[in-house]
Amino acid sequence: MNNSTEASGTSPATLLVGLVLALAGIMGLFLVANAQDGAMAFHGYLFVAFCALGVFWMIKRHYDEAAGVVEVEGDVRYNNAVVRAGVIASLFWGVVGFLAGLTVALQLAFPELNFHLPWTNFGRLRPVHTSAVIFAFGGNVLIATSFHVVQRTCRARLAGDWAPWFIFWGYQLFIVLAASGYVLGVTQSKEYAEPEWYIDLWLTIVWVVYLLVFLGTLMKRREPHIYVANWFYLAFIVTIAMLHIVNNLAVPVALTGSKSYQLFSGVQDALTQWWYGHNAVGFFLTAGFLGIMYYFVPKQANRPVYSYRLSIVHFWSLIFLYIWAGPHHLHYTALPDWAQTLGMTFSIMLWMPSWGGMINGLMTLSGAWDKLRTDPILRMLAVSVAFYGMSTFEGPVMSIKAVNSLSHYTDWTVGHVHSGALGWVGFVSFGALYYLVPKLWNRERLYSLALVSLHFWTATIGIVLYITAMWVSGILQGLMWRAYDSLGFLEYSFVETVEAMHPFYVIRALGGLLYVIGAVIMVYNCWRTIRGDLKEEGRIGAPAAGPAVSAAE
């Protein structure tokens, strides 16, 4: 059922939003006129363009009856339009991020592909890849799925009319500002926190609105119980806000310039950075995606969560322990030894709640194991949970000082990160997107379940090639770096260790290529589904989506 969410007249909220966009556009023009460097001027133009497009979009939304579509289910009108936009953005940014990763992987194997240009070298494209995959792809998946899940489990429409759209479009602006800044050389040089001060400030505004919309939806829920997935989403939103603000405290050189200086310095800056960095993994790439697991695995399997009590224990133990684990990134540095040991201890303790969550996710399939043979979407979700278990075992092992003395600064760390990113985050995101597309566009099923299976196997082979190559090359690196000859001198020069990595870098690039191909297959499948096409094929057997998992189950 399609109907407009707008009244026939212009609401005060609409006028207020239009006024804010106009004032923001004027501020952008001021930045363009007074910018102290080219990057700030370019970003001023981007901000003006964003505000202008926002005004035109508002006008179109006001007069186009098809805009602001909501889906009616029972007596609740859900805001599906913003979720659909998030799904499309996730598909787009996923391909962009994976292609950027393939590019930098090829540059490591074949340095000539840097093209001897400042904008295309590894140092600038690598943060484009990490930010595009983590924040652009992963962030859009989290925003879209959280908006979908909180509405369904609360049986309430998303709070606000313009606010969800501000979150969506404001987040896309943040992504473009950050990525273009990296290419232009604008960076704080902080891992996973490269954007400069004014981009961080913009993201803070967007994130606060995100928190308010999520809380507002929870407050007007029609279900007395808050389903566990919402607890994980809420922890992700609140903790990322805290991490982002503290780690990015900086003093700009000028209000019209891009350069700033960090508030912290030395070992304090390093500790703050890896308190942020590891908890970005813990709350952005783990807690948020566990919210996806706790909703979409039961929905696709058409089974209740195996143990709701275990999911609550999983939540509270995970969020308490994770926040202390960051110092394990700083073993054998100037950080006090007691702080290093504290990070290692809490990292090892994290093994237990992490595996409790993995067991809960896999055991949700009890009574539905046969569906893994016939349902490629459920297979992808189940394998993602298995990768979650593997990564959360490997991480604590690598945090042990004796192991870390071999693995630190090597490709083993790269393999570990990507086993979680490609296997856990990637696969659970793909499964959620495959579930959402036919539901949001009111289609009978996906265009082709056979293509989902092809995507699964292509991406799985790519992951295996990637992480095994990095495991072997990482351990080889560590052993070569610590090898001494009979006279006590280092046996290998650094150049020799780099040369030994070449075949493994080629294998990694091949694995990345297969993963990119899988993503392109997914985009094609979703595009044909949105068009309403159905491919004639043998019954692969993905079940029809069952009723929403009750918050009381």
Side-chain angles (χ1 to χ4, degrees):
M1 176 177 177
N2 296 342
N3 48 40
S4 175
T5 58
E6 295 297 310
S8 58
T10 303
S11 67
T14 302
L15 293 174
L16 178 61
V17 171
L19 178 61
V20 170
L21 282 172
L23 293 175
I26 294 172
M27 185 185 73
L29 289 173
F30 174 80
L31 286 176
V32 171
N34 296 277
Q36 297 193 7
D37 53 74
M40 180 61 87
F42 178 73
H43 285 161
Y45 281 118
L46 279 180
F47 205 76
V48 171
F50 171 78
C51 294
L53 290 173
V55 171
F56 283 114
W57 180 77
M58 286 181 61
I59 295 171
K60 179 180 183 300
R61 186 171 185 253
H62 179 74
Y63 287 104
D64 188 352
E65 292 182 353
V69 176
V70 295
E71 176 183 325
V72 176
E73 291 189 5
D75 57 346
V76 181
R77 300 196 312 163
Y78 295 125
N79 184 349
N80 286 333
V82 71
V83 182
R84 281 195 290 267
V87 167
I88 293 172
S90 301
L91 294 170
F92 172 76
W93 288 118
V95 173
V96 171
F98 302 148
L99 281 173
L102 176 60
T103 300
V104 295
L106 287 168
Q107 286 181 339
L108 284 175
F110 307 102
E112 297 81 5
L113 294 177
N114 282 270
F115 298 118
H116 304 290
L117 297 172
W119 311 285
T120 57
N121 67 37
F122 178 87
R124 294 193 182 184
L125 291 185
R126 191 261 179 181
V128 171
H129 160 60
T130 54
S131 291
V133 172
I134 297 172
F135 299 115
F137 171 66
N140 273 290
V141 168
L142 287 170
I143 291 172
T145 56
S146 65
F147 282 170
H148 177 84
V149 171
V150 75
Q151 291 186 95
R152 263 54 181 194
T153 56
C154 293
R155 293 199 301 119
R157 181 175 169 83
L158 205 60
D161 182 23
W162 289 105
W165 285 109
F166 170 77
I167 296 164
F168 172 75
W169 287 113
Y171 196 72
Q172 309 314 308
L173 177 61
F174 156 72
I175 294 166
V176 174
L177 289 172
S180 60
Y182 302 153
V183 174
L184 294 171
V186 176
T187 175
Q188 293 185 127
S189 301
K190 293 168 75 75
E191 185 77 351
Y192 309 138
E194 288 93 347
E196 268 289 2
W197 67 274
Y198 58 98
I199 304 175
D200 289 331
L201 188 60
W202 175 251
L203 178 60
T204 302
I205 296 170
V206 173
W207 209 258
V208 168
V209 177
Y210 182 23
L211 174 62
L212 293 175
V213 167
F214 197 85
L215 286 174
T217 309
L218 289 175
M219 290 175 64
K220 67 176 188 177
R221 67 186 185 276
R222 300 187 184 185
E223 284 286 344
H225 189 82
I226 300 177
Y227 184 60
V228 67
N230 293 319
W231 283 105
F232 278 99
Y233 280 125
L234 189 59
F236 139 70
I237 297 170
V238 171
T239 309
I240 290 299
M242 175 181 68
L243 298 169
H244 172 76
I245 291 171
V246 175
N247 189 51
N248 289 293
L249 291 173
V251 179
V253 175
L255 294 179
T256 54
S258 59
K259 177 63 180 173
S260 67
Y261 288 98
Q262 294 297 304
L263 188 65
F264 304 108
S265 62
V267 72
Q268 289 83 9
D269 183 53
L271 179 59
T272 305
Q273 161 58 29
W274 284 110
W275 168 76
Y276 164 89
H278 191 76
N279 288 296
V281 174
F283 288 87
F284 201 99
L285 297 178
T286 302
F289 288 92
L290 284 170
I292 296 177
M293 182 194 80
Y294 274 116
Y295 181 83
F296 289 95
V297 171
K299 290 291 285 187
Q300 189 66 24
N302 200 17
R303 303 284 300 176
V305 172
Y306 171 67
S307 171
Y308 199 82
R309 180 176 298 174
L310 179 58
S311 70
I312 299 300
V313 174
H314 177 206
F315 171 78
W316 286 109
S317 56
L318 191 82
I319 65 167
F320 174 75
L321 294 176
Y322 230 122
I323 205 76
W324 301 96
H328 76 228
H329 288 265
L330 298 169
H331 284 330
Y332 306 106
T333 67
L335 191 70
D337 189 68
W338 69 264
Q340 299 177 34
T341 303
L342 180 74
M344 178 185 73
T345 303
F346 275 89
S347 300
I348 295 170
M349 292 167 65
L350 267 171
W351 184 5
M352 293 177 283
S354 298
W355 272 38
M358 175 197 68
I359 291 168
N360 211 7
L362 290 178
M363 291 304 292
T364 298
L365 300 176
S366 296
W369 291 107
D370 59 298
K371 295 180 180 180
L372 293 177
R373 294 182 292 105
T374 58
D375 184 355
I377 302 175
L378 188 61
R379 190 186 310 143
M380 190 168 277
L381 290 168
V383 170
S384 77
V385 178
F387 270 108
Y388 170 64
M390 182 182 72
S391 298
T392 52
F393 169 76
E394 186 183 24
V397 169
M398 293 176 70
S399 75
I400 299 171
K401 288 185 178 181
V403 178
N404 197 265
S405 66
L406 174 67
S407 70
H408 205 29
Y409 305 119
T410 72
D411 289 335
W412 187 355
T413 303
V414 179
H416 164 63
V417 168
H418 282 79
S419 68
L422 301 177
W424 158 238
V425 173
F427 271 18
V428 79
S429 299
F430 298 154
L433 293 173
Y434 278 132
Y435 173 88
L436 284 174
V437 167
K439 183 174 182 62
L440 292 172
W441 276 271
N442 297 313
R443 306 300 183 225
E444 176 187 345
R445 62 170 175 83
L446 285 167
Y447 164 69
S448 172
L449 293 172
L451 285 179
V452 179
S453 188
L454 178 62
H455 176 198
F456 171 80
W457 288 112
T458 303
T460 300
I461 295 170
I463 294 172
V464 171
L465 288 174
Y466 192 114
I467 61 178
T468 52
M470 291 297 95
W471 284 338
V472 174
S473 70
I475 294 172
L476 179 61
Q477 271 179 322
L479 293 175
M480 291 180 73
W481 289 347
R482 61 166 56 177
Y484 293 89
D485 60 21
S486 59
L487 298 176
F489 295 104
L490 288 174
E491 188 169 354
Y492 301 100
S493 68
F494 182 76
V495 172
E496 288 177 300
T497 65
V498 173
E499 185 180 12
M501 297 304 105
H502 180 74
F504 302 105
Y505 287 171
V506 173
I507 295 171
R508 170 172 69 174
L510 177 60
L513 175 62
L514 291 175
Y515 203 82
V516 170
I517 291 171
V520 172
I521 292 171
M522 177 184 68
V523 170
Y524 174 75
N525 200 1
C526 292
W527 171 62
R528 294 296 297 270
T529 303
I530 292 169
R531 283 183 42 178
D533 300 335
L534 278 177
K535 185 177 181 181
E536 293 294 331
E537 56 190 11
R539 177 66 176 167
I540 295 183
V549 179
S550 170
E553 289 178 348

